[in-house]
């Protein structure tokens, strides 16, 4: 029987204050993520249960019981104490999916430092922008990542005091994390933590500026726990695999915190997506709950359904997907391949946790993101010119998806951008920047983004970041970056480049620019395609009309460009409609 057998009933009786009682809390009213995720289990009946089961790229395995994980987190927290890191200072992680990253995240939270994960496929410029804004004091990374990406930035990061190298033999100016951990005590008492104490910093892309750091507090753990239980249906004894990298918000909230607070075993695969291996892992690791992204599902689809049907996946009980639209075709394929639905759910960096979902007990409508979590009030709204919003009650009408502000994992600010943060709210609603519809049955359907953000394989990429990276090249005069539809990744980044007057376009220059972008921006942000243009279309006020470029790219009628110039609700034209 699912954890939430009756959605309507759960919704009617749910309250966040009751849900807080699902967790232990610290004596005296404190609430600390690591206490809830690790310490309380390490000191209770789950102490010997495997918390983290890690499989390395080369087949090497490491396992940590809850008790062992607590010891490692304590050591890390003691290392931070020794280094003079005080609560609220920022510890950044730039690693692949290695146990040290999980330990650093949870150890930092135990110490009440702010933890900020960075995706290892970022290049030096995106890393610099985030570490600089987030005032990184400590960085946990590997020797290879340090040498290839951080060493060249070190002078531009004056606040960065300590670089902890996870795999020994630290380069000059870095410390050996293993040696520090070996010397550190394995006991640490988590100080009483105010629920509003800053905990996690997650960067999200902006369309018109640098990435924005969304700050979350320890109280977010209430949403993580509740959604793990109600939206992912996590139960004792589960083996949970979240394929998202902890360099992104999903990989932290659901790759680390939510499953651990629910006391299950987290399986971590260090390797990259490979259909044959993934099916093998689902079977051999006896995964019961699997949380992945549509890009991965589409990749599996391409590899052929036989690979799935050849495996015994009878233990797999619940599959969920997030990050981009799960197209009905992928849904139907999932039903055939796994003999069960894939449960799409929706959330974003700012919401800190799942807000809208298809629950285990609910009928899934292919293509819908599902219904709001108990405790979450959602609506479709229209922004008015005076800054207020009008709630659209009529079903099946496009509008902006809004959430009543005030749930535990709602971001508390964008660091250093208070005004931008305030602009996200109107009349008590948090405005998500997504266009959606609600149907007569209360199901929500994703329509598109209001802004120009690119969603590639479930990762949001800000066009501005791509454009600024390419503009650094001497031959480039202007750039416009857009998301070009892609059958696997949803979108890939395409850049339109205007060259300096004396420079001639050539295939060689295109290759050079692609390589330049990859080096500076990294694989995660760099464009996949470059097209030379004599000019890029702009509004009268000089803003790049990316939407027009997208329409041209698709060979769609360009429409009335005066509409494109305004900030009106205009869904991206290729997005399929909902119900
Ligand atoms: P991020 O903040 O990077 O996690 O990206 C959040 C954005 O991804 C949302 O605002 C949506 O535009 C998109 N997104 C997340 N989940 C879904 C989903 N289930 N369906 C469609 N788009 C989604």
């Amino acid at each position: 029987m699912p954890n939430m057998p009756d959605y309507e009933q759960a919704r009617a009786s749910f309250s966040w204050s009751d849900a807080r009682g699902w967790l232990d809390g610290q004596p005296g009213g404190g609430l600390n993520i690591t206490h809830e995720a690790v310490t309380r289990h390490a000191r209770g009946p789950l102490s010997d249960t495997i918390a983290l089961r890690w499989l390395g790229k080369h087949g090497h395995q490491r396992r940590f019981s809850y008790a062992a994980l607590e010891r490692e987190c304590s050591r890390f927290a003691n290392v931070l104490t020794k280094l003079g890191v005080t609560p609220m200072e920022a510890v950044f992680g730039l690693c692949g999916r290695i146990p040290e990253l999980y330990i650093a995240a949870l150890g930092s939270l135990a110490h009440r430092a702010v933890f900020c994960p960075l995706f290892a496929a970022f290049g030096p410029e995106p890393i610099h922008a985030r570490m600089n804004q987030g005032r990184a004091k400590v960085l946990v990374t590997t020797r290879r990542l340090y040498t290839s990406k951080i060493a060249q930035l070190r002078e531009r990061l004056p606040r960065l005091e300590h670089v902890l190298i996870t795999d020994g033999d630290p380069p000059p100016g870095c410390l050996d994390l293993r040696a520090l951990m070996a010397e550190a005590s394995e006991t640490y008492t988590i100080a009483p933590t105010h629920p509003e104490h800053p905990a996690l910093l997650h960067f999200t892309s902006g369309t018109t500026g640098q990435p924005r750091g969304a700050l979350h507090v320890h109280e977010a753990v209430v949403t993580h726990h509740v959604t793990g239980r109600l939206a992912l249906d996590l139960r004792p004894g589960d083996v949970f695999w979240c394929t998202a990298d902890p360099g992104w918000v999903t990989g932290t909230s659901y790759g680390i915190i939510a499953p651990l607070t629910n006391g299950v075993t987290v399986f971590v695969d260090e390797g990259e997506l490979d259909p044959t291996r993934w099916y093998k892992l689902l079977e051999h690791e006896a995964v019961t709950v699997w949380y992945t992204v549509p890009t991965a599902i589409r990749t599996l689809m391409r590899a052929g359904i036989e690979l799935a049907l050849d495996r015994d996946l009878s233990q797999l009980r619940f599959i969920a997907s997030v990050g981009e639209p799960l197209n009905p075709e992928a849904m139907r394929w999932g039903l055939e391949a796994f003999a069960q639905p894939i449960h799409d759910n929706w959330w974003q960096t700012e919401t800190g946790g799942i807000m809208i979902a298809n629950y285990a007990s609910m009928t899934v409508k292919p293509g819908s993101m599902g219904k709001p979590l108990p405790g979450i009030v959602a609506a479709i709204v229209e922004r008015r010119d005076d800054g207020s919003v009008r709630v659209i009650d009529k079903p099946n009408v496009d509008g902006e998806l809004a959430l009543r502000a005030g749930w535990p994992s709602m971001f508390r600010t964008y660091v250093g951008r208070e005004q931008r943060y305030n602009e996200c709210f109107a009349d008590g609603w948090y405005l998500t920047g997504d266009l959606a519809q609600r149907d007569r049955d209360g199901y929500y359907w994703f329509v598109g983004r209001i802004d120009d953000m690119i969603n590639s394989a479930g990762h949001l990429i800000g066009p501005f970041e791509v454009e600024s990276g390419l503009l650094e090249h001497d031959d480039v005069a202007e750039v416009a970056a857009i998301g070009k539809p892609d059958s696997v990744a949803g979108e890939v980044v395409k850049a339109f480049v205007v060259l300096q007057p004396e420079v001639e376009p050539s295939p060689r220059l295109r290759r050079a620019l692609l390589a330049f972008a990859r080096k500076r921006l990294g694989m995660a942000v760099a464009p996949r395609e470059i097209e030379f243009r004599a000019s890029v279309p702009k509004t009268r006020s000089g803003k790049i009309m990316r939407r027009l470029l997208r329409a041209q790219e698709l060979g769609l009628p360009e429409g009335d460009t005066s509409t494109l110039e305004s900030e009106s609700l205009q869904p991206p034209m290729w997005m399929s409609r909902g119900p």
Side-chain angles (χ1 to χ4, degrees), residues 204 249 321-326 344-350 369 432 434 446 449 455 458-460:
T204 182
V249 70
S321 158
V322 71
E324 21 161 357
L326 181 68
D344 187 19
N345 59 51
W346 177 97
W347 60 289
Q348 52 182 200
T349 305
E350 288 84 347
M369 314 188 285
T432 67
D434 276 5
F446 182 78
R449 291 273 324 172
N455 188 336
H459 301 145
L460 279 197

Side-chain angles (χ1 to χ4, degrees), residues 312-335:
D312 174 9
L313 302 180
S314 49
Q315 80 298 327
L316 185 58
R317 196 188 78 236
F318 189 79
I319 309 177
S321 158
V322 71
E324 21 161 357
L326 181 68
N327 40 319
E329 192 195 344
M331 261 295 297
R332 281 190 284 273
W333 178 86
L335 268 177

Side-chain angles (χ1 to χ4, degrees), residues 126-206:
I127 291 172
H128 178 260
R130 287 160 177 78
M131 288 183 70
N132 197 31
Q133 276 193 66
R135 298 169 174 255
K137 175 162 180 169
V138 178
L139 174 70
V140 178
T141 189
T142 64
R143 217 170 35 234
R144 185 182 62 79
L145 288 168
Y146 180 81
T147 317
S148 61
K149 302 185 182 191
I150 304 295
Q152 60 187 289
L153 298 175
R154 199 73 196 258
E155 278 186 7
R156 291 164 60 205
L157 291 168
R159 288 200 189 85
L160 180 62
E161 286 181 28
H162 310 289
V163 176
L164 310 180
I165 300 293
T166 59
D167 48 351
D169 201 9
C174 301
L175 298 168
D176 183 344
L177 180 59
R178 279 192 212 156
L180 288 167
M181 292 281 280
E183 285 165 13
S185 159
E186 59 182 36
T187 55
Y188 181 89
T189 305
I190 301 179
T193 308
H194 194 282
E196 287 298 312
H197 193 99
L200 292 159
L201 181 60
H202 288 295
F203 279 88
T204 182
S205 299

